[in-house]
Amino acid sequence: MGEGPGGSRADPSFRRLWAAFVLAQAGSAVGAVAVPLIAIRELGWDQATIALLATVAAVVQVMAAVPAGHLAEFRRKRPVMVAADLIRAVSTLAVAGLFLLGALHVTALMGVLALNAAMQVLFASASAAHTKDLLRPEHRADGLGKLQTAAWASMITGPVVAGAIAAVSSPVVLLFVNAAAFLGSAALIRTIPTPENPPPARTGEASGLAGAAAGLRHLLTDPVLRRLFISWVLFAGAVAALTPVTAVFALQDLRLTEGEYGLLMGLPSLGGLAGSWLTGAVTRRWGLGPTLWWGSLLRIPWYLLYPLTPRGGGMAGLVVLMVAFTGVLFFSAMTNSAISALRMDHTPDRLMARASAAWTMATMAAGPVLIPGLGLVMQLAGARTALWAIAGIVATSSLVLPAHRLRSGRQWR
């Protein structure tokens, strides 16, 4: 594995993988800005069309998760990741070409977004399995934290850089930047020096629908992973519902200005950046289980701050919400890396890509399941009541965890 005592950063192969992940995440962040700018500002498409584009991409990600995991499982992971990057680069360049020719139609963009969404899931499934292969168990939480740090950094800086580029040139330039980032990611993956281990052998039980769903079956039948999985689904659904409820609460109830709301959505991401970066140090000191358990408990009070925000709004309301959001993201980033590392430790290599894909599918499906119910609560009783309900779901997600085993720090194998 080529890793020294310095942790994940000491491994040149993981550094290449991390750099590729940074580029791929940055490309996705830039593309997320480019598409609506082109669709709304340049082509004048209406809100219903924009919503349809986003819906198609989200539905494809959910539907593609299980087959993508099965596709990646029994193949070498680096060629799969390279192919996903190249397909995303070519399809993005195709959109740019159609736009420059004045031939970009909504169906073409919809098709490209659907293809890229499927490739994103395929890349994630293969990279999760390959990360486990590259890193020693004691360095996985640190490595996953560093990958999550790259994602946070992309979310913070990507839209800012994309906006600046679009302001001085044209939104179509962002598509070329997006494609270049995917090409750079593919090139970096090709140069990872550590030889890749052979993929697991395909057996009779790995074929057909049952084989494709084996990762989900493993998550649901393993007594420890089942509780981690249920906890994660509850938490992911609550987080997805928090965004629209917070928007209503901040803009309507507290009457924050657009500028104040922008600060609320941007600056607290630094908490997620810090939490993911510190994951390695914390897990080395306390262990994976205790980090997950205490981190899950410590994020609850920050969720309780949301509905306790002063009713007057203004600067006091903004400060309370920013403090709450920062605390939520700090502890959530840390627990997310810890739970991912535990999932890796407790999943056989032959199921890693499929289990990762099933985990991704559940994460993306949790929001559409919980958002309508919490939206109804918001409509009937107000956003503040919905925020109390979200805090209750987050608390429940922590109580579902196998507390004794996590606190004791017992080995998982």
Side-chain angles (χ1 to χ4, degrees):
M1 297 186 187
E3 225 179 323
S8 61
R9 285 170 293 174
D11 181 1
S13 294
F14 180 76
R15 288 201 302 269
R16 298 284 179 89
L17 180 64
W18 180 85
F21 190 82
V22 169
L23 280 176
Q25 287 288 322
S28 297
V30 170
V33 174
V35 169
L37 282 178
I38 290 173
I40 296 172
R41 295 286 178 85
E42 303 294 330
L43 301 176
W45 293 349
D46 58 24
Q47 294 178 350
T49 302
I50 305 305
L52 179 62
L53 291 173
T55 301
V56 167
V59 169
V60 168
Q61 284 186 315
V62 174
M63 294 180 62
V66 170
H70 192 254
L71 179 66
E73 191 78 85
F74 304 104
R75 291 169 174 79
R76 292 187 180 273
K77 305 306 181 288
R78 291 178 202 167
V80 170
M81 289 187 285
V82 169
D85 276 336
L86 293 178
I87 291 172
R88 288 189 286 182
V90 171
S91 62
T92 301
L93 290 174
V95 171
L98 289 173
F99 174 78
L100 292 174
L101 294 172
L104 182 59
H105 190 268
V106 63
T107 54
L109 183 55
M110 191 181 302
V112 168
L113 290 178
L115 178 62
N116 284 6
M119 292 303 102
Q120 182 179 352
V121 176
L122 181 62
F123 184 96
S125 300
S127 65
H130 194 47
T131 299
K132 180 182 181 181
D133 189 37
L134 281 179
L135 294 176
R136 294 174 181 171
E138 64 269 24
H139 294 312
R140 284 176 189 155
D142 177 65
L144 290 166
K146 297 303 181 290
L147 292 175
Q148 195 175 158
T149 300
W152 282 110
S154 298
M155 284 190 287
I156 295 170
T157 61
V160 176
V161 173
I165 293 173
V168 299
S169 56
S170 166
V172 74
V173 175
L174 300 178
L175 295 177
F176 290 102
V177 174
N178 190 357
F182 289 138
L183 291 174
S185 172
L188 283 167
I189 292 169
R190 288 275 298 170
T191 62
I192 293 176
T194 304
E196 182 178 354
N197 290 335
R202 187 188 293 269
T203 60
E205 59 85 23
S207 61
L209 182 60
L216 179 61
R217 187 167 59 249
H218 175 66
L219 295 176
L220 293 176
T221 55
D222 184 282
V224 174
L225 280 181
R226 181 171 60 246
R227 297 180 69 172
L228 296 183
F229 184 62
I230 294 172
S231 172
W232 178 258
V233 170
L234 287 171
F235 177 71
V239 169
L242 183 65
T243 299
V245 174
T246 301
V248 173
F249 184 62
L251 296 174
Q252 293 186 5
D253 293 16
L254 300 183
R255 300 186 182 281
L256 298 184
T257 67
E258 289 82 353
E260 290 171 337
Y261 183 68
L263 288 175
L264 174 63
M265 292 294 101
L267 285 181
S269 296
L270 295 172
L273 190 71
S276 58
W277 186 261
L278 292 173
T279 297
V282 173
T283 54
R284 282 193 297 271
R285 175 67 177 84
W286 300 105
L288 279 176
T291 297
L292 174 56
W293 171 248
W294 291 110
S296 298
L297 289 184
L298 290 172
R299 69 189 176 197
I300 295 173
W302 304 98
Y303 277 94
L304 295 174
L305 270 183
Y306 281 97
L308 293 174
T309 302
R311 292 185 179 275
M315 184 56 66
L318 175 62
V319 170
V320 172
L321 282 181
M322 288 187 68
V323 169
F325 204 8
T326 302
V328 161
L329 294 181
F330 178 83
F331 286 105
S332 294
M334 195 171 293
T335 55
N336 291 355
S337 297
I339 200 171
S340 296
L342 286 173
R343 173 166 53 91
M344 282 187 176
D345 288 350
H346 214 57
T347 300
D349 290 348
R350 64 182 178 82
L351 290 171
M352 192 61 227
R354 285 175 287 175
S356 177
W359 194 276
T360 300
M361 179 185 68
T363 300
M364 292 184 292
V369 170
L370 287 182
I371 287 174
L374 289 165
L376 181 61
V377 171
M378 181 168 60
Q379 183 178 357
L380 296 176
R384 196 179 293 268
T385 302
L387 289 171
W388 281 114
I390 289 172
I393 295 172
V394 171
T396 302
S397 74
S398 300
L399 297 177
V400 169
L401 292 168
H404 177 70
R405 190 160 189 176
L406 292 176
R407 287 199 306 266
S408 67
R410 287 166 54 190
Q411 292 298 314
W412 292 79
R413 288 189 182 276

